[in-house]
Every structure is written in C-alpha cells, then in structure tokens.
C-alpha cells in the first residue's frame, strides 16, 4: 500500500536500506511529509540540500506527482490522484495483507503471554496481557519476528490463571457489554488510563468507539449487500472517477486508508496498540461519513468505483478489527 511503498522509496532515495522516515500527514489527501533529511544531514549543513537531492530522485517514480522541500528541510511527497484512488481496488484484492509491510523486518519482539485477557481478575492485568499480545501481533504484521526457542530465546512465562470460579470486574463487564466491546475498549486504553465503564462500552451509539468501528464495517458491508441485491457488483475500475473533485469525501477516505500499514508499524514500534485503535476510530468516522453521502445512499449514483471503495473500507476495517481480535459484523 502507499505508505509502505513510500517508506521504501524514501529510503532508496537516501541510499539506505533501513531506518524510519517518520512519515506524517501533510495538508491534503495523498500528501506525506518526512523528516528523514534532518537525520541524514551532517552537523553544520543544510538539510534542505539533502531533501532536494532526495526529491529529485523521488520524482522519477511514475506514481509520485511531486516531491518538494518544505519548511526547514522536510520532504513532502504528493502521490498522483490515480495512485491514491487505485487503493479502492488494491485493498480488497490484497485482503488482510493490506495491513502488512516489511517495516520491522529484522526486529525480534517478545512472544506474548498466552492468557485470555478477558478472564483476568483486574483491569490493569487484563490491559497488560492484551497490550503485549496486540503489540506482538502488530509487530509481526509489520515484518518482525517473535522470540522462539529455536533462536535460543524463550517467551515470557505464562501468568497465573484465576482459581476455578474466581472472577472480577473484567468478567462482569464482558457479561454485560459483550467480549468484542470490552476487548476494543481495552485495546484503545493508553497506559495508565482509567478502566473502561461497562455501561458506556455497551452503548450502541456512534459516540462509543467500541460500537462505532464495528458499525462502520457494517455500513460499508451494507452498501455492497444492497448493490448485490440489485445485481450490481464491483467491475471495471477507473481511478479518475474517485480522484475528483479534490475535496471529496471519497478522497478523504482514501487518504486515511493509505495509512493502514504505517499505523500498524508505528503502533508496534512504540508498543502502543491504543494508537492503532485510535486510527481505526478515524477510519470509521471517514467511512461512516462517506457511506452516508448521496453517492452511496442513492442507488442510481453507486458507480463501480464507489463499490470498490466501500469494499476497501470494509476490508481495511475488518483487517484492523481482526488484528485487535475483535469481530467485524456485517450487520448491527
């Protein structure tokens, strides 16, 4: 996907095979900024010169529209509208691999504890177990390798299991709100945050992230289901139809979709699965907004390209929820 490819292109332009370009969004869909020139510039020299050399190499890529020096030495890359729009077809074709990259290739991460976090006795322990499990899962998706006995490295010992019949607030919350809602609420908890409130986590309202992300998946699935009922399915793909107008909801959704592999890798590197859950919340908001526009709710306006985009959003959300171990319902 775009950010994974851009990462490789930036490193190649810098003559490197590894490193972190530290990508961040720039103004507008399909624009990405990197601070890599600052870290490549020798002391006392101007990072803008390094950025300019990299930009000249990047502009030879057919999928890159412009590469320019911005600010004190940032490198800002804009991909072509067709490259961004093509994600609508590339993501469904890739399936769960749409989140994968080689960003953490060569890294070895600890094997996660085998316990079930939803049966732990305390919220703090449930959070610690789940955070370790999700960090390992995100890391391997980004190309890392788990510790293994074959490498002479052992995973951490399994935590003690609760005694038979012993329960706590986590089990009670699962019984009240359901495992998916509680698991997502735990996944999005930053370190040291207060425990989730089961009464809030169980609410079927868009203000509840544990519901909103699953609802967004169901909304995208519904578009495909309605179209199929009318005998319509994604067919030929013309990316230009999603690339205009520049400020469209479709382009904004495509832009968020383009960050999926990068958000997986960054969350894994930082050991912060809550940041990836936050990305899924952003993707859900964009998906819901887009699926509610006239182009998706008026049957006569649903083009093949829009069906591809609905499928891309559905695929990305299902993949992200799957990485968190949360179900992705087709109906809610």
């Amino acid at each position: 996907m775009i950010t994974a490819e851009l990462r490789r292109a930036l490193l190649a332009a810098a003559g490197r095979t590894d490193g972190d370009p530290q990508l961040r969004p720039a103004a507008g869909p399909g624009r990405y900024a990197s601070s890599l020139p600052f870290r490549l510039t020798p002391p006392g020299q101007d990072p803008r010169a390094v950025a300019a050399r990299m930009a000249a190499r990047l502009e030879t890529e057919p999928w890159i529209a412009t590469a320019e020096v911005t600010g004190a030495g940032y490198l800002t890359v804009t991909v072509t509208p067709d490259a961004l729009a093509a994600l609508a077809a590339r993501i469904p074709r890739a399936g769960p691999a749409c989140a994968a990259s080689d960003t953490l290739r060569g890294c070895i991460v600890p094997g996660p504890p085998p316990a079930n976090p939803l049966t732990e006795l305390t919220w703090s322990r449930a959070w610690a177990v789940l955070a370790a499990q999700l960090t390992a899962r995100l890391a391997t998706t980004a190309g890392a390798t788990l510790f293994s006995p074959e490498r002479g490295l052992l995973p951490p010992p399994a935590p003690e299991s609760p005694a038979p019949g012993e329960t706590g607030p986590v089990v009670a919350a699962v019984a009240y709100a359901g495992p998916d809602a509680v698991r997502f609420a735990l996944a999005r908890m930053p370190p040291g945050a207060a425990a989730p409130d089961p009464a809030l986590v169980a609410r079927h309202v868009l203000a509840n992230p544990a519901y909103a992300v699953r609802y967004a998946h169901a909304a995208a699935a519904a578009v495909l289901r309605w179209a199929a009922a009318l005998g319509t399915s994604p067919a030929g793909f013309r990316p230009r139809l999603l690339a205009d107008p520049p400020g469209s909801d479709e382009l904004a959704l495509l832009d968020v979709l383009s960050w999926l592999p990068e958000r997986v890798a960054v969350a894994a590197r930082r050991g912060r699965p809550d940041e990836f859950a936050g990305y899924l919340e952003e993707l859900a908001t964009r998906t819901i907004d887009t699926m509610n526009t006239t182009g998706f709710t008026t049957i006569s306006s649903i083009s093949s390209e829009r069906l591809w985009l609905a499928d891309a959003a559905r695929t990305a959300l299902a993949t992200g929820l799957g990485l968190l171990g949360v179900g992705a319902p087709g109906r809610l």
Side-chain angles (χ1 to χ4, degrees):
M1 300 302 119
I2 284 178
T3 49
E5 293 161 351
L6 182 56
R7 173 182 286 273
R8 290 192 290 270
L10 284 163
L11 292 174
R16 298 172 66 98
T17 58
D18 58 9
D20 184 7
Q22 294 186 345
L23 291 174
R24 60 182 180 84
R31 285 174 56 83
Y32 313 86
S34 170
S35 60
L36 184 59
F38 290 100
R39 285 174 287 123
L40 298 178
T41 303
Q45 297 188 26
D46 190 349
R48 288 175 292 187
V50 173
R53 289 194 295 270
M54 291 177 63
R57 295 169 186 166
L58 286 168
E59 286 192 325
T60 64
E61 295 284 350
W63 53 279
I64 292 178
T66 62
E68 55 189 333
V69 183
T70 54
Y74 290 96
L75 180 56
T76 298
V77 177
T78 304
V79 301
T80 64
D82 282 4
L84 184 61
L87 285 177
R90 293 181 65 191
I91 289 173
R93 288 168 178 161
C98 66
S101 71
D102 59 359
T103 302
L104 300 185
R105 184 178 57 190
C107 296
I108 302 176
V109 298
N116 179 356
L118 300 186
T119 61
E120 292 292 333
L121 294 178
T122 66
W123 283 110
S124 60
R125 181 60 196 171
W127 175 86
V129 170
L130 183 61
Q133 292 174 347
L134 296 184
T135 296
R137 186 177 297 173
L138 294 171
T140 54
T141 302
T145 302
L146 291 182
F147 282 179
S148 67
E150 290 75 16
R151 292 177 174 270
L153 299 166
L154 296 175
E160 293 184 5
S161 300
E166 189 177 11
T167 62
V170 182
V171 172
V174 170
Y176 180 75
D180 282 338
V182 174
R183 190 176 177 92
F184 189 91
L186 269 173
R188 71 184 297 271
M189 279 178 59
D197 181 346
L200 298 179
V201 170
R203 296 182 67 197
H204 284 202
V205 295
L206 295 182
N208 171 21
Y211 174 78
V213 177
R214 291 177 294 145
Y215 175 86
H217 176 271
V223 170
L224 296 168
R225 191 166 58 249
W226 298 333
L230 296 173
T232 305
S233 61
F237 183 74
R238 291 169 291 173
R240 180 65 63 182
L241 295 186
L242 289 178
D244 294 314
S248 68
D249 289 300
E250 286 91 343
L251 271 185
L253 174 55
L254 284 162
D255 185 63
V256 177
L257 286 166
S258 75
W259 285 95
L260 176 56
E262 184 72 6
R263 295 297 180 238
V264 168
V266 170
R269 181 185 289 110
R270 288 168 49 82
R272 293 289 303 274
D274 60 292
E275 294 181 353
F276 181 67
Y279 162 75
L280 291 183
E281 293 174 37
E282 179 187 4
L283 176 56
T285 298
R286 284 296 184 188
T287 299
I288 293 167
D289 288 347
T290 304
M291 297 302 115
N292 284 333
T293 59
T294 302
F296 287 86
T297 57
T298 303
I299 299 300
S300 61
S301 300
I302 299 182
S303 64
S304 180
E305 287 69 29
R306 288 194 173 104
L307 291 180
W308 279 110
L309 182 55
D311 203 8
R314 183 200 60 80
T315 301
L317 286 163
T319 299
L321 286 167
L323 287 172
L324 299 184
V326 176
R331 288 180 170 88
L332 271 180

